[in-house]
Coordinates of all heavy atoms in Angstrom, one line a residue:
M767 N 0.8 -1.2 0.0 CA 0.0 0.0 0.0 C 0.9 1.3 0.0 O 1.7 1.4 0.8 CB -0.9 0.0 1.2 CG -1.9 1.1 1.3 SD -2.9 1.0 2.7 CE -3.9 -0.4 2.4
K768 N 0.7 2.2 -1.0 CA 1.5 3.3 -1.1 C 1.0 4.4 -0.1 O -0.2 4.6 0.1 CB 1.4 3.9 -2.5 CG 2.3 3.2 -3.5 CD 2.6 4.1 -4.6 CE 1.8 3.7 -5.9 NZ 2.0 4.6 -7.0
N769 N 2.0 5.2 0.5 CA 1.6 6.2 1.4 C 1.7 7.6 0.8 O 1.8 8.5 1.6 CB 2.5 6.1 2.7 CG 1.9 5.0 3.6 OD1 0.7 4.7 3.6 ND2 2.8 4.5 4.4
Q770 N 1.6 7.7 -0.5 CA 1.4 9.0 -1.1 C 0.7 8.9 -2.4 O 0.7 7.8 -3.0 CB 2.7 9.7 -1.3 CG 3.6 9.2 -2.3 CD 4.8 10.1 -2.5 OE1 5.4 10.7 -1.6 NE2 5.3 10.3 -3.8
C771 N -0.1 9.9 -2.7 CA -0.9 9.9 -3.9 C -0.1 9.6 -5.2 O 0.9 10.2 -5.4 CB -1.7 11.2 -4.0 SG -2.7 11.3 -5.5
S772 N -0.7 8.8 -6.0 CA 0.0 8.5 -7.3 C -0.2 9.6 -8.3 O 0.5 9.5 -9.4 CB -0.5 7.2 -7.8 OG -1.9 7.3 -8.1
K773 N -0.9 10.6 -8.0 CA -1.2 11.8 -9.0 C -0.4 13.0 -8.6 O -0.6 14.1 -9.1 CB -2.7 12.1 -9.1 CG -3.6 10.9 -9.3 CD -3.4 10.3 -10.6 CE -4.4 9.3 -10.9 NZ -4.1 8.3 -12.0
I774 N 0.5 12.9 -7.6 CA 1.2 14.1 -7.1 C 1.8 14.9 -8.3 O 1.7 16.1 -8.3 CB 2.3 13.6 -6.1 CG1 1.6 13.5 -4.7 CG2 3.4 14.6 -6.0 CD1 2.5 13.0 -3.7
G775 N 2.4 14.2 -9.2 CA 3.1 14.9 -10.3 C 2.2 15.7 -11.3 O 2.6 16.5 -12.0
K776 N 0.9 15.3 -11.2 CA -0.1 16.0 -12.1 C -1.0 17.0 -11.4 O -1.9 17.5 -12.0 CB -1.0 14.9 -12.8 CG -0.2 14.0 -13.7 CD -1.2 13.0 -14.3 CE -0.5 12.2 -15.4 NZ -1.4 11.3 -16.0
C777 N -0.7 17.2 -10.1 CA -1.7 17.9 -9.3 C -1.2 19.3 -8.9 O -0.2 19.4 -8.2 CB -2.0 17.1 -8.0 SG -3.2 17.9 -6.9
N778 N -1.9 20.4 -9.4 CA -1.5 21.7 -9.1 C -1.6 22.1 -7.6 O -1.0 22.9 -7.1 CB -2.4 22.7 -9.9 CG -2.0 22.7 -11.4 OD1 -1.0 22.2 -11.8 ND2 -2.9 23.3 -12.2
L779 N -2.5 21.4 -6.9 CA -2.7 21.7 -5.5 C -1.4 21.2 -4.8 O -0.8 22.0 -4.0 CB -3.9 21.0 -4.9 CG -4.2 21.3 -3.4 CD1 -5.7 21.2 -3.1 CD2 -3.4 20.4 -2.5
F780 N -0.9 20.0 -5.1 CA 0.3 19.5 -4.4 C 1.5 20.4 -4.8 O 2.4 20.6 -4.1 CB 0.5 18.1 -4.8 CG 1.6 17.4 -3.9 CD1 1.1 16.9 -2.7 CD2 2.9 17.4 -4.2 CE1 2.1 16.3 -1.8 CE2 3.8 16.9 -3.3 CZ 3.4 16.3 -2.1
G781 N 1.5 20.8 -6.1 CA 2.6 21.6 -6.6 C 2.6 23.1 -6.1 O 3.5 23.9 -6.4
G782 N 1.6 23.4 -5.2 CA 1.5 24.8 -4.7 C 1.1 25.9 -5.6 O 1.4 27.0 -5.5
E783 N 0.4 25.5 -6.7 CA 0.1 26.4 -7.8 C -1.3 27.0 -7.6 O -1.7 27.8 -8.4 CB 0.2 25.7 -9.1 CG 1.7 25.4 -9.4 CD 1.7 24.4 -10.6 OE1 1.1 24.7 -11.6 OE2 2.5 23.4 -10.6
L784 N -2.1 26.6 -6.6 CA -3.4 27.1 -6.5 C -3.4 28.3 -5.5 O -2.6 28.4 -4.6 CB -4.4 26.1 -5.9 CG -4.5 24.7 -6.6 CD1 -5.7 24.0 -6.1 CD2 -4.7 25.0 -8.1
E785 N -4.3 29.2 -5.8 CA -4.4 30.4 -4.9 C -5.3 30.2 -3.8 O -6.4 30.7 -3.7 CB -4.8 31.6 -5.8 CG -3.8 32.0 -6.8 CD -4.1 33.3 -7.5 OE1 -4.9 34.1 -7.0 OE2 -3.6 33.6 -8.6
I786 N -4.9 29.4 -2.8 CA -5.6 29.1 -1.6 C -4.6 29.2 -0.4 O -3.4 29.2 -0.7 CB -6.2 27.7 -1.6 CG1 -5.2 26.6 -1.8 CG2 -7.3 27.6 -2.7 CD1 -5.7 25.2 -1.7
P787 N -5.1 29.5 0.7 CA -4.2 29.7 1.9 C -3.2 28.5 2.1 O -3.6 27.3 1.9 CB -5.1 29.8 3.1 CG -6.5 30.3 2.5 CD -6.5 29.6 1.1
E788 N -2.0 28.9 2.5 CA -1.0 27.9 2.7 C -1.4 26.8 3.7 O -1.0 25.6 3.6 CB 0.3 28.5 3.1 CG 1.5 27.6 2.9 CD 2.8 28.3 3.2 OE1 2.9 29.6 3.2 OE2 3.8 27.7 3.4
D789 N -2.0 27.3 4.8 CA -2.4 26.3 5.8 C -3.4 25.3 5.3 O -3.5 24.1 5.7 CB -2.9 27.0 7.1 CG -4.1 27.9 6.9 OD1 -4.3 28.4 5.8 OD2 -4.9 28.0 7.8
S790 N -4.3 25.7 4.3 CA -5.2 24.8 3.7 C -4.4 23.7 2.9 O -4.8 22.5 2.9 CB -6.2 25.5 2.8 OG -6.9 26.4 3.5
V791 N -3.4 24.2 2.1 CA -2.6 23.3 1.3 C -2.0 22.2 2.2 O -2.0 21.0 2.0 CB -1.5 24.0 0.5 CG1 -0.6 23.1 -0.2 CG2 -2.2 25.0 -0.5
I792 N -1.4 22.7 3.4 CA -0.7 21.8 4.3 C -1.7 20.7 4.8 O -1.4 19.6 4.9 CB 0.0 22.6 5.4 CG1 1.1 23.4 4.9 CG2 0.4 21.6 6.5 CD1 1.7 24.4 5.8
R793 N -2.9 21.3 5.2 CA -4.0 20.4 5.8 C -4.4 19.3 4.7 O -4.5 18.1 5.0 CB -5.1 21.2 6.2 CG -5.6 20.7 7.6 CD -6.8 21.6 8.1 NE -6.3 23.0 8.4 CZ -6.9 24.1 7.9 NH1 -7.9 24.0 7.1 NH2 -6.5 25.3 8.2
Y794 N -4.6 19.8 3.5 CA -5.0 18.8 2.4 C -3.8 17.8 2.2 O -4.1 16.6 2.0 CB -5.2 19.5 1.1 CG -6.5 20.3 1.1 CD1 -6.6 21.6 0.5 CD2 -7.7 19.7 1.5 CE1 -7.8 22.2 0.4 CE2 -8.9 20.4 1.5 CZ -9.0 21.6 0.9 OH -10.2 22.3 0.9
K795 N -2.6 18.3 2.2 CA -1.5 17.4 1.9 C -1.4 16.3 3.0 O -1.2 15.1 2.7 CB -0.1 18.1 1.8 CG 0.0 18.8 0.5 CD 1.4 19.5 0.5 CE 1.7 20.1 -0.8 NZ 3.0 20.8 -0.9
C796 N -1.5 16.7 4.3 CA -1.4 15.8 5.4 C -2.5 14.8 5.4 O -2.3 13.6 5.6 CB -1.4 16.6 6.7 SG 0.2 17.4 7.0
F797 N -3.7 15.3 5.1 CA -4.9 14.4 5.2 C -5.0 13.5 4.0 O -5.3 12.3 4.1 CB -6.2 15.2 5.4 CG -7.4 14.3 5.7 CD1 -7.6 13.9 7.0 CD2 -8.3 13.9 4.7 CE1 -8.7 13.1 7.3 CE2 -9.3 13.1 5.0 CZ -9.6 12.6 6.3
Y798 N -4.9 14.1 2.8 CA -5.1 13.3 1.6 C -3.8 12.8 0.9 O -3.6 11.6 0.9 CB -5.9 14.2 0.5 CG -7.3 14.4 0.9 CD1 -7.7 15.6 1.5 CD2 -8.3 13.5 0.6 CE1 -9.0 15.9 1.8 CE2 -9.6 13.7 0.9 CZ -10.0 14.9 1.6 OH -11.3 15.2 1.9
C799 N -3.0 13.8 0.4 CA -1.9 13.4 -0.4 C -0.9 12.5 0.2 O -0.4 11.6 -0.5 CB -1.1 14.7 -0.9 SG -2.2 16.1 -1.3
L800 N -0.6 12.7 1.4 CA 0.5 11.9 2.1 C -0.1 10.9 3.0 O 0.6 10.3 3.9 CB 1.5 12.8 2.8 CG 2.1 13.9 1.9 CD1 3.0 14.8 2.6 CD2 2.9 13.2 0.7
G801 N -1.4 10.6 2.9 CA -2.0 9.7 3.8 C -2.0 8.3 3.1 O -1.4 8.1 2.1
E802 N -2.8 7.4 3.7 CA -2.9 6.0 3.1 C -3.7 6.1 1.9 O -4.5 7.0 1.6 CB -3.5 5.2 4.2 CG -2.6 5.0 5.4 CD -3.2 3.9 6.4 OE1 -4.3 3.5 6.2 OE2 -2.5 3.7 7.4
E803 N -3.7 5.0 1.1 CA -4.4 4.9 -0.2 C -5.9 5.2 0.0 O -6.5 5.8 -0.9 CB -4.2 3.6 -0.8 CG -4.8 3.5 -2.2 CD -4.5 2.2 -2.9 OE1 -3.6 1.4 -2.4 OE2 -5.0 2.0 -4.0
S804 N -6.5 4.8 1.1 CA -7.9 5.1 1.3 C -8.2 6.5 1.4 O -9.3 7.0 1.0 CB -8.4 4.4 2.5 OG -7.7 4.9 3.7
R805 N -7.2 7.3 1.8 CA -7.4 8.8 1.8 C -7.3 9.5 0.4 O -8.1 10.1 0.0 CB -6.4 9.4 2.7 CG -6.5 9.1 4.2 CD -7.5 10.0 4.9 NE -7.6 9.7 6.3 CZ -6.8 10.1 7.2 NH1 -5.7 10.9 6.9 NH2 -6.9 9.8 8.5
W806 N -6.1 9.2 -0.2 CA -5.9 9.9 -1.5 C -6.8 9.4 -2.6 O -7.2 10.1 -3.5 CB -4.4 10.0 -1.9 CG -3.6 8.7 -1.9 CD1 -2.7 8.4 -1.0 CD2 -3.5 7.7 -2.9 NE1 -2.1 7.2 -1.3 CE2 -2.6 6.8 -2.5 CE3 -4.2 7.5 -4.1 CZ2 -2.3 5.6 -3.3 CZ3 -3.9 6.4 -4.9 CH2 -2.9 5.5 -4.4
S807 N -7.2 8.1 -2.5 CA -8.1 7.6 -3.5 C -9.5 8.2 -3.4 O -10.4 8.1 -4.3 CB -8.1 6.1 -3.5 OG -8.6 5.6 -2.3
S808 N -9.8 8.8 -2.2 CA -11.1 9.4 -2.0 C -11.1 10.9 -2.3 O -12.1 11.6 -2.2 CB -11.6 9.2 -0.6 OG -10.8 9.9 0.3
C809 N -9.9 11.4 -2.7 CA -9.8 12.9 -3.0 C -10.5 13.1 -4.4 O -10.3 12.4 -5.4 CB -8.3 13.2 -3.2 SG -8.0 14.8 -3.9
K810 N -11.3 14.2 -4.4 CA -12.0 14.5 -5.6 C -11.1 14.9 -6.8 O -11.3 14.5 -7.9 CB -13.1 15.6 -5.4 CG -13.9 15.9 -6.5 CD -14.9 14.8 -6.9 CE -16.0 14.6 -6.0 NZ -17.0 13.6 -6.5
R811 N -10.0 15.5 -6.4 CA -9.0 15.9 -7.5 C -8.4 14.6 -8.1 O -8.2 14.5 -9.2 CB -7.9 16.8 -6.9 CG -8.5 18.2 -6.5 CD -7.3 19.1 -6.1 NE -6.3 19.3 -7.1 CZ -6.4 20.2 -8.1 NH1 -7.4 21.0 -8.1 NH2 -5.5 20.3 -9.0
F812 N -8.1 13.6 -7.2 CA -7.6 12.3 -7.7 C -8.5 11.7 -8.7 O -8.2 11.2 -9.7 CB -7.3 11.4 -6.5 CG -6.9 10.0 -6.9 CD1 -5.6 9.7 -7.0 CD2 -7.9 9.0 -7.1 CE1 -5.2 8.5 -7.4 CE2 -7.4 7.8 -7.6 CZ -6.1 7.5 -7.7
M813 N -9.8 11.7 -8.3 CA -10.8 11.1 -9.2 C -10.9 11.7 -10.6 O -11.0 11.1 -11.6 CB -12.2 11.1 -8.5 CG -12.3 10.2 -7.3 SD -13.9 10.4 -6.5 CE -13.5 10.0 -4.8
I814 N -10.8 13.1 -10.5 CA -11.0 13.8 -11.8 C -9.7 13.7 -12.7 O -9.7 13.5 -13.9 CB -11.2 15.3 -11.5 CG1 -12.6 15.5 -10.8 CG2 -11.2 16.2 -12.8 CD1 -13.8 15.0 -11.6
I815 N -8.5 13.7 -12.0 CA -7.3 13.5 -12.7 C -7.3 12.1 -13.4 O -6.9 11.9 -14.5 CB -6.0 13.6 -11.8 CG1 -5.9 15.1 -11.4 CG2 -4.8 13.2 -12.5 CD1 -4.8 15.4 -10.3
D816 N -7.8 11.1 -12.6 CA -7.9 9.8 -13.1 C -8.8 9.7 -14.4 O -8.5 9.0 -15.3 CB -8.4 8.8 -12.0 CG -8.0 7.4 -12.1 OD1 -6.8 7.2 -12.5 OD2 -8.8 6.5 -11.8
E817 N -9.9 10.5 -14.4 CA -10.8 10.5 -15.4 C -10.3 11.3 -16.7 O -10.5 10.9 -17.8 CB -12.1 11.0 -14.9 CG -13.3 10.4 -15.5 CD -14.6 10.8 -14.8 OE1 -14.6 10.9 -13.6 OE2 -15.6 11.0 -15.5
L818 N -9.8 12.5 -16.4 CA -9.5 13.5 -17.4 C -8.0 13.6 -17.7 O -7.6 14.2 -18.8 CB -10.0 14.9 -17.1 CG -11.5 15.0 -17.0 CD1 -11.8 16.5 -16.6 CD2 -12.3 14.6 -18.2
G819 N -7.2 13.2 -16.8 CA -5.7 13.4 -17.0 C -5.2 14.8 -16.4 O -4.1 15.0 -16.3
Y820 N -6.2 15.6 -15.9 CA -5.9 16.8 -15.2 C -7.1 17.2 -14.3 O -8.2 16.6 -14.5 CB -5.6 17.9 -16.2 CG -6.9 18.5 -16.8 CD1 -7.4 19.7 -16.4 CD2 -7.5 17.9 -17.9 CE1 -8.6 20.3 -16.9 CE2 -8.7 18.4 -18.4 CZ -9.2 19.6 -17.9 OH -10.3 20.1 -18.5
C821 N -6.9 18.1 -13.4 CA -8.0 18.6 -12.6 C -8.0 20.1 -12.6 O -7.0 20.7 -12.3 CB -7.8 18.1 -11.2 SG -9.2 18.5 -10.1
P822 N -9.2 20.7 -12.9 CA -9.3 22.2 -12.8 C -9.0 22.7 -11.4 O -9.3 22.0 -10.4 CB -10.7 22.5 -13.3 CG -11.4 21.2 -13.3 CD -10.4 20.1 -13.3
D823 N -8.5 23.9 -11.3 CA -8.1 24.4 -10.0 C -9.3 24.7 -9.1 O -9.0 24.8 -7.9 CB -7.4 25.8 -10.3 CG -6.0 25.6 -10.9 OD1 -5.6 24.4 -11.1 OD2 -5.4 26.6 -11.3
F824 N -10.5 24.8 -9.6 CA -11.6 25.0 -8.6 C -12.0 23.8 -7.8 O -12.8 23.9 -6.8 CB -12.8 25.6 -9.4 CG -13.5 24.7 -10.3 CD1 -14.4 23.7 -9.9 CD2 -13.2 24.7 -11.7 CE1 -15.1 22.9 -10.7 CE2 -13.8 23.8 -12.6 CZ -14.7 22.9 -12.1
V825 N -11.5 22.7 -8.1 CA -11.9 21.4 -7.4 C -11.0 21.2 -6.2 O -9.7 21.1 -6.4 CB -11.8 20.2 -8.4 CG1 -12.2 18.9 -7.6 CG2 -12.7 20.4 -9.6
M826 N -11.5 21.1 -5.0 CA -10.8 20.8 -3.9 C -10.9 19.3 -3.5 O -11.8 18.7 -3.9 CB -11.3 21.7 -2.7 CG -11.0 23.2 -2.8 SD -9.3 23.6 -2.8 CE -9.0 24.1 -4.6
P827 N -9.9 18.8 -2.7 CA -10.0 17.4 -2.4 C -11.3 16.9 -1.8 O -11.8 15.8 -2.0 CB -8.9 17.2 -1.5 CG -7.9 18.2 -1.8 CD -8.7 19.4 -2.2
N828 N -11.9 17.8 -1.0 CA -13.2 17.4 -0.3 C -14.4 18.0 -1.0 O -15.4 18.1 -0.3 CB -13.1 17.9 1.2 CG -12.9 19.4 1.3 OD1 -12.6 20.0 0.3 ND2 -13.0 19.9 2.5
S829 N -14.3 18.3 -2.3 CA -15.4 18.9 -3.0 C -16.6 17.9 -3.0 O -16.5 16.7 -3.1 CB -15.0 19.1 -4.5 OG -16.2 19.5 -5.2
L830 N -17.8 18.5 -2.8 CA -19.0 17.8 -2.8 C -19.7 17.7 -4.2 O -20.7 17.1 -4.4 CB -20.0 18.4 -1.8 CG -19.6 18.3 -0.3 CD1 -20.6 19.0 0.6 CD2 -19.3 16.9 0.1
L831 N -19.0 18.4 -5.1 CA -19.5 18.4 -6.5 C -19.4 17.0 -7.1 O -18.3 16.3 -6.8 CB -18.8 19.4 -7.4 CG -18.9 20.8 -7.1 CD1 -17.9 21.6 -8.0 CD2 -20.3 21.3 -7.3
S832 N -20.3 16.5 -7.9 CA -20.2 15.2 -8.5 C -19.3 15.4 -9.7 O -19.1 16.5 -10.2 CB -21.6 14.7 -9.0 OG -22.0 15.6 -10.0
S833 N -18.8 14.3 -10.2 CA -17.9 14.4 -11.5 C -18.7 15.0 -12.6 O -18.1 15.8 -13.3 CB -17.5 13.0 -11.9 OG -16.6 12.4 -10.9
E834 N -20.0 14.7 -12.7 CA -20.8 15.3 -13.8 C -20.9 16.8 -13.6 O -20.8 17.6 -14.6 CB -22.2 14.7 -13.7 CG -23.0 15.1 -14.9 CD -24.4 14.5 -14.9 OE1 -24.7 13.8 -13.9 OE2 -25.2 14.7 -15.8
Q835 N -21.1 17.3 -12.4 CA -21.2 18.7 -12.1 C -19.8 19.4 -12.5 O -19.8 20.5 -13.0 CB -21.5 19.0 -10.7 CG -23.0 18.7 -10.4 CD -23.2 18.8 -8.9 OE1 -22.5 18.2 -8.1 NE2 -24.3 19.4 -8.5
I836 N -18.7 18.8 -12.2 CA -17.4 19.3 -12.5 C -17.2 19.4 -14.0 O -16.8 20.4 -14.6 CB -16.3 18.5 -11.8 CG1 -16.4 18.7 -10.3 CG2 -14.9 18.8 -12.3 CD1 -15.6 17.7 -9.5
M837 N -17.6 18.3 -14.7 CA -17.5 18.3 -16.2 C -18.3 19.4 -16.8 O -17.9 20.1 -17.7 CB -18.0 16.9 -16.8 CG -17.3 15.7 -16.3 SD -15.6 15.6 -16.6 CE -15.2 14.1 -15.8
N838 N -19.5 19.6 -16.3 CA -20.4 20.6 -16.8 C -19.8 22.0 -16.6 O -19.8 22.9 -17.5 CB -21.8 20.6 -16.1 CG -22.6 19.4 -16.6 OD1 -22.4 18.9 -17.7 ND2 -23.6 19.1 -15.8
R839 N -19.1 22.2 -15.4 CA -18.5 23.5 -15.2 C -17.4 23.7 -16.1 O -17.1 24.8 -16.6 CB -18.1 23.5 -13.7 CG -17.8 25.0 -13.3 CD -17.5 25.1 -11.8 NE -18.6 24.9 -10.9 CZ -18.6 25.2 -9.7 NH1 -17.5 25.6 -9.1 NH2 -19.7 25.1 -8.9
I840 N -16.6 22.7 -16.4 CA -15.4 22.8 -17.4 C -16.0 23.2 -18.8 O -15.4 24.0 -19.4 CB -14.7 21.4 -17.4 CG1 -14.0 21.2 -16.1 CG2 -13.7 21.5 -18.6 CD1 -13.4 19.8 -16.0
Q841 N -17.1 22.5 -19.2 CA -17.6 22.8 -20.5 C -18.1 24.2 -20.5 O -17.9 24.9 -21.5 CB -18.8 21.8 -20.8 CG -18.4 20.4 -21.1 CD -17.4 20.3 -22.3 OE1 -17.5 21.0 -23.2 NE2 -16.4 19.4 -22.1
W842 N -18.8 24.6 -19.5 CA -19.3 26.0 -19.4 C -18.2 27.0 -19.5 O -18.3 28.0 -20.2 CB -20.1 26.1 -18.1 CG -20.8 27.5 -18.0 CD1 -22.0 27.9 -18.5 CD2 -20.2 28.6 -17.3 NE1 -22.2 29.2 -18.2 CE2 -21.2 29.7 -17.5 CE3 -19.1 28.9 -16.6 CZ2 -20.9 31.0 -17.0 CZ3 -18.9 30.1 -16.1 CH2 -19.8 31.2 -16.3
S843 N -17.1 26.8 -18.8 CA -16.0 27.8 -18.8 C -15.3 27.8 -20.2 O -14.9 28.8 -20.6 CB -15.0 27.5 -17.7 OG -14.3 26.3 -18.0
K844 N -15.3 26.6 -21.0 CA -14.8 26.7 -22.3 C -15.6 27.5 -23.2 O -15.1 28.2 -24.1 CB -14.7 25.2 -22.8 CG -13.5 24.5 -22.3 CD -13.4 23.0 -22.8 CE -12.3 22.3 -22.2 NZ -12.3 20.8 -22.6
V845 N -17.0 27.4 -23.1 CA -17.9 28.1 -23.9 C -17.8 29.6 -23.7 O -17.9 30.4 -24.6 CB -19.4 27.6 -23.7 CG1 -20.3 28.5 -24.4 CG2 -19.5 26.2 -24.2
S846 N -17.7 30.0 -22.4 CA -17.7 31.4 -22.0 C -16.4 32.1 -22.2 O -16.3 33.3 -22.1 CB -18.2 31.5 -20.6 OG -17.3 31.0 -19.7
N847 N -15.3 31.3 -22.5 CA -14.0 32.0 -22.7 C -13.7 32.2 -24.2 O -14.3 31.7 -25.1 CB -12.9 31.1 -22.1 CG -12.8 31.3 -20.6 OD1 -13.3 32.4 -20.1 ND2 -12.4 30.3 -19.9
Ligands
LIG578 S1 -4.8 16.9 -3.8 FE1 -5.7 14.8 -4.3 S2 -4.9 14.4 -6.4 FE2 -3.7 16.1 -5.6 S3 -1.9 15.1 -4.8 FE3 -3.3 15.4 -3.1 S4 -4.5 13.5 -3.0 FE4 -3.5 13.5 -5.0

């Protein structure tokens, strides 16, 4: 069982590229990214990266949005840009 997320190299949150408070990043890393597989595999960003190969910055690990809602938001932002 791995003790760190397998998507670390593809995740902007882990890379410190998101504009969120540093203490939130540390909390997410400790709880999800560097936890046991049951933790990081339940991260919403992990699930979206697994599905799309990337995860938009608005998705947090504990997001309550469904994958479908996230896909819709991605589509909407592509149309409006
Ligand atoms: S935020 Fe989620 S997807 Fe990103 S490295 Fe942490 S556990 Fe993995």
Side-chain angles (χ1 to χ4, degrees):
M767 187 180 288
K768 284 205 254 175
N769 279 335
Q770 71 176 36
C771 175
S772 59
K773 309 293 186 198
I774 276 175
K776 294 183 173 181
C777 182
N778 287 349
L779 186 151
F780 195 87
E783 295 166 44
L784 302 192
E785 291 187 20
I786 58 175
E788 196 177 341
D789 59 332
S790 298
V791 174
I792 292 168
R793 226 175 292 127
Y794 286 137
K795 282 184 177 180
C796 290
F797 189 82
Y798 290 98
C799 318
L800 303 175
E802 295 184 355
E803 185 171 354
S804 59
R805 294 273 183 83
W806 50 259
S807 64
S808 69
C809 167
K810 184 63 78 173
R811 292 185 60 82
F812 175 88
M813 295 177 203
I814 297 298
I815 292 171
D816 208 36
E817 214 169 323
L818 298 180
Y820 77 100
C821 182
D823 291 351
F824 67 82
V825 179
M826 292 296 111
N828 58 350
S829 172
L830 298 178
L831 294 173
S832 68
S833 294
E834 188 181 0
Q835 288 170 314
I836 292 168
M837 304 297 179
N838 286 341
R839 199 176 282 191
I840 292 170
Q841 288 304 322
W842 183 83
S843 68
K844 282 181 182 169
V845 169
S846 64
N847 284 332

